[in-house]
């Protein structure tokens, strides 16, 4: 798909919006407060950084900043960036959908409006998906290489269960045998999410082929 290159002032506005979104995302994560408050709270200390939601938003934030710098420098990014960006889109989409389907009305869903919760679980996934669709990547991602996007979730699952075996803490109720119906229940959720990841990564690969744009910097 060939598109006309955007005017530089439009690209500059795009970069400014990306930087603002990166700042808003970091402010919503509030990493500087992780060791404040009640040590028994779910988001205290390293627990906060062990949530898939938080790690996905960190990846998205880095993606925004790299893209913004490329725009300001008017310099094309390497092909590696299409995988980072597609990965950020995939992880944020899963974050938003899983929150809406599995985590509504749980202890992870505040009983009042929370700006941070809104940004991390709702607006963030919406924003990065729309950005990816409006300003598609310069090069496509093949169906085969789309499986590279699953490396991070795979490693996160391994990390989560190893850490849980040491601390007894699970970031999400559907990963905790005590609340998910035992080991069989956990495996059912994990298998279901694995299939969901595979389907979504292939969908993103198909969209990338349809939306390939050689005029972008990333």
């Amino acid at each position: 798909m060939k598109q006309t290159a955007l005017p530089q002032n439009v690209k500059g506005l795009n970069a400014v919006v990306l930087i603002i979104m990166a700042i808003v995302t970091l402010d919503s994560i509030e990493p500087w407060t992780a060791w404040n408050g009640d040590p028994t709270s779910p988001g205290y200390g390293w627990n906060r950084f062990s949530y898939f939601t938080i790690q996905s938003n960190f990846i998205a934030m880095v993606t925004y900043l790299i893209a913004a710098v490329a725009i300001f420098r008017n310099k094309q990014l390497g092909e590696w960036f299409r995988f980072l960006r597609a990965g950020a889109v995939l992880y944020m989409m899963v974050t938003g959908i899983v929150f809406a389907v599995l985590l509504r009305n749980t202890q992870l869903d505040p009983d009042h409006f929370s700006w941070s919760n809104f940004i991390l679980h709702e607006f963030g996934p919406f924003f990065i998906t729309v950005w990816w669709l409006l300003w598609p990547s310069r090069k496509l991602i093949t169906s085969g290489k789309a499986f590279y996007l699953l490396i991070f979730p795979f490693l996160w699952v391994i990390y989560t269960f190893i850490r849980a075996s040491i601390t007894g803490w699970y970031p999400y109720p559907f990963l905790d045998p005590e609340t998910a119906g035992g080991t069989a229940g956990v495996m059912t959720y994990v298998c279901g999410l694995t299939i969901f990841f595979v389907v979504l990564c292939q969908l993103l690969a198909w969209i990338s082929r349809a939306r390939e744009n050689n005029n972008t910097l990333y």
Side-chain angles (χ1 to χ4, degrees), residues 185-198:
V186 172
M187 291 305 298
T188 299
Y189 278 113
V190 170
C191 289
L193 287 172
T194 299
I195 294 172
F196 184 53
F197 265 106
V198 170

Side-chain angles (χ1 to χ4, degrees), residues 16-154:
V16 171
V17 171
L18 291 175
I19 291 174
I20 292 174
M21 191 61 196
I23 294 172
V24 169
T25 301
L26 182 62
D27 180 67
S28 298
I29 295 173
E30 295 183 304
W32 48 84
T33 66
W35 281 269
N36 296 340
D38 183 4
T40 62
S41 64
Y44 182 84
W46 289 112
N47 287 356
R48 179 175 306 186
F49 305 103
S50 296
Y51 285 104
F52 187 83
T53 294
I54 298 300
Q55 295 186 17
S56 297
N57 274 274
F58 265 126
I59 293 173
M61 181 187 70
V62 171
T63 303
Y64 300 146
L65 292 176
I66 293 175
V69 170
I71 292 171
F72 282 132
R73 296 180 62 191
N74 196 29
K75 183 177 181 180
Q76 285 189 350
L77 291 167
E79 293 191 5
W80 58 270
F81 185 74
R82 60 178 162 159
F83 293 103
L84 174 64
R85 189 182 184 214
V89 174
L90 173 62
Y91 312 146
M92 290 294 285
M93 287 177 66
V94 171
T95 291
I97 294 171
V98 168
F99 177 77
V101 175
L102 296 178
L103 299 177
R104 284 288 188 190
N105 302 317
T106 68
Q107 62 178 353
L108 297 177
D109 183 18
D111 56 5
H112 60 280
F113 178 78
S114 168
W115 173 257
S116 295
N117 185 68
F118 171 70
I119 294 296
L120 299 177
H121 290 110
E122 298 178 69
F123 185 75
F126 171 78
F127 175 87
I128 197 169
T129 302
V130 171
W131 171 53
W132 186 68
L133 291 173
L134 290 180
W135 286 277
S137 292
R138 186 162 48 89
K139 295 296 182 181
L140 59 82
I141 294 177
T142 64
S143 296
K145 290 185 176 180
F147 286 104
Y148 292 162
L149 307 180
L150 303 181
I151 294 174
F152 167 69
F154 177 73

Side-chain angles (χ1 to χ4, degrees), residues 151-165:
I151 294 174
F152 167 69
F154 177 73
L155 294 177
W156 178 83
V157 168
I158 294 175
Y159 160 78
T160 296
F161 285 120
I162 290 177
R163 188 170 187 270
S165 69

Side-chain angles (χ1 to χ4, degrees), residues 2-7 213 215:
K2 304 299 182 182
Q3 295 184 359
T4 303
L6 292 171
N213 179 10
N215 290 305

